[in-house]
Amino acid sequence: QVSARARGCRSAAATALAIMSAGGAVPRPPEHVRCKQFGCQKYFDPTKAEQTICVHHKMPPVFHETAKYWACCPDRKAYDWDEFMKIPGCQRGHCSTEEPKKKFMGGCDVRAENAPKRIDDEVPIDPRKKLDKLRAGLESIGVEASTFDRAWGRLAAKHGDLGVVVSNMSGLFTEALTAMDSDEINLPD
């Protein structure tokens, strides 16, 4: 008769042998699926997802040139696949079967995110909106909105067309800036 302890040892040895023969991978139960959260890689029972603890990344991986990193953790780059897979997740939650919309990012995505933004792309065509943006800019440097409103209001009353007001404002600001240059004001080169 074999003792319970001996049976336990044989059972553990059989499990270890099965793992080794499967190439070192732990066989997964047939009803389990792999978590789809970025970086998790755990197998879980989808009917008990709320019982899982998932440490994952909230954004997809980025593969740019030889660097590998998670878009949510750009300060933790790896150049080797194994090191990349060891970067711990930055989010905690439950495992999920939901496929992510974007599975990875590459050089085009990185360049698009960091591309310079043109400030003249959002210049309005409508003269009234141009005056509103000019007011906001002048207010941000300390010019009172009421002073600006009185000035363009007088020009609008005189000319009756906001397009002419914008043109006149442009000319007046250009003239003032040019006068600063010629008034021997010490400006940096």
Side-chain angles (χ1 to χ4, degrees), residues 56-71:
H56 61 278
H57 291 277
K58 67 179 178 178
M59 295 179 73
V62 176
F63 305 111
H64 181 59
E65 295 177 356
T66 59
K68 300 158 193 63
Y69 59 95
W70 297 97

Side-chain angles (χ1 to χ4, degrees), residues 11-83:
S11 150
T15 303
L17 186 59
I19 290 171
M20 286 172 38
S21 66
V26 177
R28 69 175 175 87
E31 67 277 357
H32 283 63
V33 295
R34 190 180 294 267
C35 178
K36 302 293 185 191
Q37 301 274 28
F38 296 121
C40 178
Q41 301 295 311
K42 285 185 191 173
Y43 284 103
F44 73 102
D45 184 349
T47 62
K48 299 176 183 172
E50 67 282 345
Q51 295 175 3
T52 63
I53 296 175
C54 178
V55 179
H56 61 278
H57 291 277
K58 67 179 178 178
M59 295 179 73
V62 176
F63 305 111
H64 181 59
E65 295 177 356
T66 59
K68 300 158 193 63
Y69 59 95
W70 297 97
C72 51
C73 302
D75 56 322
R76 306 208 52 207
K77 291 185 179 175
Y79 294 90
D80 174 68
W81 182 260
D82 293 329
E83 292 299 314

Side-chain angles (χ1 to χ4, degrees), residues 124-145:
I125 296 172
D126 179 36
R128 176 62 194 196
K129 289 183 180 177
K130 286 182 179 182
L131 291 169
D132 290 341
K133 282 200 174 266
L134 180 57
R135 178 192 304 107
L138 290 171
E139 278 183 295
S140 72
I141 63 168
V143 175
E144 289 197 28

Side-chain angles (χ1 to χ4, degrees), residues 75-163:
D75 56 322
R76 306 208 52 207
K77 291 185 179 175
Y79 294 90
D80 174 68
W81 182 260
D82 293 329
E83 292 299 314
F84 167 68
M85 292 306 289
K86 289 178 186 174
I87 298 172
C90 58
Q91 302 282 303
R92 291 182 72 86
H94 298 293
C95 289
S96 172
T97 58
E98 186 176 327
E99 287 280 341
K101 290 181 178 79
K102 187 156 187 134
K103 293 188 179 191
F104 63 89
M105 297 171 68
C108 293
D109 299 304
V110 172
R111 284 188 290 277
E113 284 180 7
N114 297 317
K117 186 177 181 306
R118 293 187 57 99
I119 59 173
D120 61 350
D121 279 350
E122 296 178 14
V123 175
I125 296 172
D126 179 36
R128 176 62 194 196
K129 289 183 180 177
K130 286 182 179 182
L131 291 169
D132 290 341
K133 282 200 174 266
L134 180 57
R135 178 192 304 107
L138 290 171
E139 278 183 295
S140 72
I141 63 168
V143 175
E144 289 197 28
S146 60
T147 304
F148 175 73
D149 289 339
R150 274 194 309 276
W152 81 258
R154 282 193 302 265
L155 285 171
K158 180 177 179 183
H159 299 288
D161 180 6
L162 291 183

